[in-house]
Amino acid sequence: QVQLEESGGGLVQAGESLRLSCAASGRTFTIYRMGWFRQAPGKEREFVAAGRWSGSSAYYGDSVKGRFTMSRDNAKNTLYLQMNSLQPEDTAVYYCVADPSSSDPWRYWGQGTQVTVSS
């Protein structure tokens, strides 16, 4: 099993930045991919960013491209999401996710961290 714990959420104003962290523990050597999803009240869960845990690249959802950047620190088993130019529509609970293979997508989820952007 892999455990994921997010941190770094909070309340910011439009245009400001925030960085989320996700600490992975447990059988981290089994991780294939890690990423982020978000869910706003009354809306469906939305893909934000993801990439191979051993790699350096990432792919992003259309709504965050050019504003959000995902990075990893493999030595610390930590995933980051740098969020710039935040807008009220970015308000959501952000979840860190991981999976052991593409055939078992997003098997592991963190508890989520709230990001609120005021206008």
Side-chain angles (χ1 to χ4, degrees), residues 59-71:
Y59 46 98
Y60 300 89
D62 288 342
S63 61
V64 306
K65 279 180 184 177
R67 299 187 300 123
F68 290 12
T69 302
M70 190 181 83
S71 61

Side-chain angles (χ1 to χ4, degrees), residues 76-94:
K76 295 182 178 179
N77 288 328
T78 302
L79 183 74
Y80 302 98
L81 184 68
Q82 177 66 42
M83 306 184 293
N84 297 331
S85 301
L86 283 162
Q87 299 300 316
E89 51 266 35
D90 294 315
T91 295
V93 177
Y94 284 71

Side-chain angles (χ1 to χ4, degrees), residues 1-2 4 8 10-11 13 15 33 35-36 40-41 48 68 70 79 85 110 115-118:
Q1 292 291 325
V2 172
L4 304 172
L11 172 64
Q13 293 188 338
R33 299 181 301 175
W36 298 89
V48 175
F68 290 12
M70 190 181 83
L79 183 74
S85 301
V115 172
T116 303
V117 184
S118 64

Side-chain angles (χ1 to χ4, degrees), residues 19-116:
R19 188 177 81 157
L20 304 182
S21 300
C22 173
S25 61
R27 296 171 61 87
T28 56
F29 60 90
T30 66
I31 294 174
Y32 171 62
R33 299 181 301 175
M34 288 192 74
W36 298 89
F37 280 76
R38 68 185 183 184
Q39 188 164 22
K43 295 187 176 181
E44 293 187 354
R45 190 172 292 164
E46 179 185 15
F47 169 77
V48 175
R52 289 192 180 184
W53 179 234
S54 62
S56 59
S57 62
Y59 46 98
Y60 300 89
D62 288 342
S63 61
V64 306
K65 279 180 184 177
R67 299 187 300 123
F68 290 12
T69 302
M70 190 181 83
S71 61
R72 320 116 164 99
D73 186 332
N74 298 88
K76 295 182 178 179
N77 288 328
T78 302
L79 183 74
Y80 302 98
L81 184 68
Q82 177 66 42
M83 306 184 293
N84 297 331
S85 301
L86 283 162
Q87 299 300 316
E89 51 266 35
D90 294 315
T91 295
V93 177
Y94 284 71
Y95 297 92
C96 178
V97 297
D99 60 34
S101 74
S102 56
S103 62
D104 190 4
W106 312 128
R107 179 175 180 178
Y108 305 111
W109 290 73
Q111 81 287 353
T113 186
Q114 177 70 47
V115 172
T116 303

